[in-house]
Amino acid sequence: MTPRGTHRVVIVGAGLGGLRVAEHLRRQRYTGAITLVGDESAEPYDRPPLSKAVLVGTMTDTTLAKDIPSLDLDLRLGTRVETVDTSDRSVVLSNGDRIGYDSLVLAPGAVPRLPAGVGVGGGVHVLRTIADSLGIRAAIADGRRLVVVGAGFIGCEVAASARRAGVDVDLVERLSLPLVQVLGEAGGRRAAELHREHGVRLHLGTGATPVTGPDGVRAVRLDDGTELECRDIVYGIGVTPDVEWLAPSGIALDDGILCDSLGRTSIPGVFAVGDAARWWHPLLGAHRRLEHWMSTTGQAETVAHAITAGDDIAVPTTVPFFWSDQYDVKIQGLGFVDPSDDVRELEVDGKPVLVYSRDNVLRAVVGFSVPTAVLPLRKSIMSGVDVDEVVARLTE
Ligand SMILES: Cc1cc2nc3c(=O)[nH]c(=O)nc-3n(C[C@H](O)[C@H](O)[C@H](O)COP(=O)(O)OP(=O)(O)OC[C@H]3O[C@@H](n4cnc5c(N)ncnc54)[C@H](O)[C@@H]3O)c2cc1C
């Protein structure tokens, strides 16, 4: 039964996951109180455009909800939740307020990593917030050279957007290929070709150290001593779940907030979604954090359902989906992509498709602008079909 009346849900983190939980609660006719607390001052906004349209300069407003008042929220922006007290079911805010909850949803997201001894400022950038994105945009607006360190999705997207904005780009990666850690060798080779074709200078298999002067960054030094002169560096070397502040709460943490497949944490009444949450995935037989937009929205719907319907709901069997836009290519992935799986490289309609399998069972598929090859495979991945059958179908 839908909890009503004096029931209160407190949501920590007013990003994608937090907002979507609130929206799904209202959609599922939850009439109790919802307090949404976010430490950023902006209304909830979308992050994918930050490394794409905002950097290119074709978009500045990525606000997610066009009509926040209709959700009837107790919205606390510019306010951080400092502590969670699970014994009396309350949270304490940075302004000293204590708010009681019946259900608590944690959606604090993640924070970008930086090498030890390196801090943001003086030409050193990371990319997580709208302010970060506008800061990079302003720095590259005059077309000056940009060095991107880390060729994961964020680094590759920044490199692509900067090239589209007419900027001279060097992309430095410690591993042998861009995206190799997420897609494996075959995907990494395709990504390398794509960036070279668009004029990005790749520096692979090397570390990078910022060289600073009195005015901030003046170069990046590679392991062989080469110096790439630049005034700005964007680090895209991964993120850490923003959960340190939860350590005293007693909620089980292990590379994120440990959750079952309904988003329930180790403490009754406390749920978690999004980049900080490490859910149990029945299909994978493991806990995994998924730093993807679609996973966050799916988790938000499940958690809202778990709050409104109690423990009676069925565990949804879902297959993760992600996308990444680089130049005019949309990379789309379905399933638990694991570079250590067997990877077959196909051409479908002249575009690269990577098929991942283990013990001949289909596990995931990644396409470079081939949605018709990727999206219909959801059921095949869920039921674990023979990979030869799928390859035959894709190439017939
Ligand atoms: C630049 C960029 C590009 C991306 N592009 C893609 C893409 O192309 N495709 C894709 O699938 N995914 C993409 N993603 C990933 C996607 O945006 C994330 O998976 C999604 O934003 C996760 O939502 P979240 O709610 O967990 O975290 P967030 O959206 O980060 O929201 C968390 C919020 O909680 C706040 N917070 C943290 N701690 C507290 C606290 N104690 N009290 C109050 N507030 C707190 C944070 O400041 C933040 O505002 C991208 C992400 C970034 C950063």
Side-chain angles (χ1 to χ4, degrees):
M1 218 194 52
T2 304
R4 287 168 197 281
T6 57
H7 191 278
R8 176 177 295 275
V9 178
V10 171
I11 304 170
V12 184
L16 177 69
L19 178 72
R20 288 289 186 259
V21 170
E23 288 174 339
H24 280 292
L25 282 169
R26 290 302 184 217
R27 215 168 284 159
Q28 292 168 23
R29 307 203 187 294
Y30 172 79
T31 56
I34 303 176
T35 298
L36 177 60
V37 190
D39 61 0
E40 293 186 71
S41 52
E43 280 194 2
Y45 61 88
D46 214 9
R47 295 183 201 274
L50 304 184
S51 49
K52 308 173 185 78
V54 175
L55 274 194
V56 176
T58 53
M59 191 179 193
T60 48
D61 179 8
T62 74
T63 308
L64 275 166
K66 301 302 169 210
D67 188 13
I68 283 256
S70 68
L71 294 172
D72 187 20
L73 304 177
D74 167 25
L75 183 60
R76 315 279 187 111
L77 295 177
T79 309
R80 198 169 164 82
V81 172
E82 299 287 359
T83 50
V84 173
D85 186 340
T86 56
S87 57
D88 79 346
R89 291 194 168 217
S90 67
V91 297
V92 176
L93 310 187
S94 46
N95 62 9
D97 285 359
R98 181 179 284 269
I99 304 177
Y101 65 81
D102 296 288
S103 305
L104 176 67
V105 183
L106 303 168
V111 284
R113 278 188 215 127
L114 274 173
V118 176
V120 168
V124 173
H125 306 263
V126 291
L127 179 49
R128 184 77 195 177
T129 66
I130 183 87
D132 295 337
S133 182
L134 293 173
I136 298 168
R137 168 79 197 142
I140 63 174
D142 62 0
R144 68 189 189 210
R145 185 181 194 175
L146 181 68
V147 176
V148 181
V149 177
F153 282 126
I154 299 289
C156 284
E157 289 187 1
V158 169
S161 298
R163 285 299 298 142
R164 283 186 60 195
V167 174
D168 208 14
V169 178
D170 290 88
L171 179 56
V172 186
E173 167 58 51
R174 185 176 286 285
L175 299 176
S176 58
L177 289 164
L179 295 181
V180 69
Q181 204 166 11
V182 268
L183 302 184
E185 290 264 326
R189 278 196 307 275
R190 294 291 182 165
E193 273 166 32
L194 180 65
H195 286 280
R196 284 197 180 107
E197 275 165 18
H198 286 84
V200 171
R201 283 181 299 270
L202 292 179
H203 307 273
L204 302 171
T206 176
T209 312
V211 183
T212 53
D215 300 326
V217 170
R218 67 166 184 79
V220 163
R221 186 177 304 124
L222 305 181
D223 287 348
D224 67 1
T226 306
E227 287 199 359
L228 310 173
E229 273 180 38
C230 65
R231 302 274 303 282
D232 295 282
I233 311 171
V234 177
Y235 278 93
I237 57 172
V239 295
T240 306
D242 189 350
V243 295
E244 244 177 56
W245 60 281
L246 284 167
S249 70
I251 297 166
L253 305 173
D254 180 8
D255 180 33
I257 306 161
L258 279 184
C259 295
D260 68 7
S261 40
L262 293 178
R264 293 176 294 204
T265 69
S266 60
I267 303 286
V270 182
F271 301 80
V273 301
D275 288 4
R278 196 160 152 237
W279 282 36
W280 176 262
H281 298 279
L283 200 60
L284 190 66
H287 285 96
R288 172 82 54 94
R289 269 191 326 105
L290 299 168
E291 297 162 8
H292 307 317
W293 197 96
M294 287 291 280
S295 306
T296 301
T297 55
Q299 290 174 352
E301 183 171 8
T302 301
V303 162
H305 198 194
I307 291 171
T308 54
D311 288 338
D312 293 340
I313 69 168
V315 171
T317 22
T318 52
V319 174
F321 171 79
F322 65 83
W323 81 93
S324 172
D325 297 331
Q326 298 172 32
Y327 312 100
D328 52 354
V329 173
K330 189 177 272 297
I331 302 174
Q332 293 170 313
L334 194 64
F336 293 95
V337 177
D338 184 341
S340 70
D341 280 351
D342 295 327
V343 187
R344 300 202 206 172
E345 207 176 347
L346 315 176
E347 293 259 315
V348 177
D349 298 334
K351 313 263 178 56
V353 173
L354 309 171
V355 180
Y356 298 74
S357 63
R358 186 166 291 185
D359 300 328
N360 242 47
V361 171
L362 175 70
R363 306 233 310 170
V365 60
V366 171
F368 286 58
S369 295
V370 213
T372 47
V374 175
L375 304 181
L377 288 178
R378 188 177 296 272
K379 277 200 182 133
S380 304
I381 293 171
M382 265 158 55
S383 54
V385 300
D386 186 301
V387 69
D388 294 328
E389 195 188 295
V390 172
V391 169
R393 232 189 303 149
L394 286 172
T395 50
E396 76 190 3

